[in-house]
Amino acid sequence: QVQLVESGGGSVQAGESLRLSCAVSGKTYKTYCMGWFRQAPGKEREGVATIDEYGTTTYADSVKGRFTISQDNAKNTLYLQMNGLKPEDTAMYYCAADPHRSGGYCSPLSTGMESWGRGTLVTASS
């Protein structure tokens, strides 16, 4: 399985921005569905954004227009730019990867991804 290490979390005021990074290593397949997921205290894990092998991005309705997922294949790094953070965005954010998902199966609904990082905590205060 691929190894994923997240960074960039922190505590900010509502309205501010953060950029999360996910360092990816150990790839054994040519293409992967990559994504960001989050879990708030006492809630189920939910999808935030995904990007497939063609660069097609998909977002949860709650973050559309505020968050942007991207990847730098040369640096083997996945990013999540988060603007206009809200208190309800407070959660542990996880990077995930799956070589067996593509097209419509690579989406924020894909909570059963194959590989997961340990997470980075994001706190947005009002």
Side-chain angles (χ1 to χ4, degrees), residues 56-125:
T56 302
T57 57
T58 311
Y59 297 92
D61 288 343
S62 59
V63 306
K64 279 181 182 176
R66 299 188 298 123
F67 290 11
T68 303
I69 187 172
S70 63
Q71 60 186 351
D72 186 331
N73 290 324
K75 295 183 178 180
N76 287 317
T77 304
L78 180 73
Y79 301 101
L80 184 69
Q81 178 66 43
M82 305 185 294
N83 298 329
L85 282 160
K86 304 176 180 180
E88 51 264 43
D89 295 318
T90 294
M92 186 71 80
Y93 283 71
Y94 299 91
C95 174
D98 196 321
H100 307 299
R101 296 178 183 270
S102 63
Y105 293 98
C106 180
S107 85
L109 296 177
S110 305
T111 53
M113 300 280 275
E114 181 175 276
S115 300
W116 294 85
R118 294 191 173 186
T120 186
L121 183 62
V122 172
T123 303
S125 304

Side-chain angles (χ1 to χ4, degrees), residues 6-26:
E6 303 94 336
S7 62
S11 297
V12 298
Q13 295 293 311
E16 294 183 341
S17 300
L18 280 174
R19 188 176 80 156
L20 305 183
S21 298
C22 173
V24 184
S25 61

Side-chain angles (χ1 to χ4, degrees), residues 41-54:
K43 294 189 176 181
E44 298 274 328
R45 185 176 293 184
E46 64 176 2
V48 175
T50 54
I51 183 166
D52 71 10
E53 67 268 34
Y54 303 109

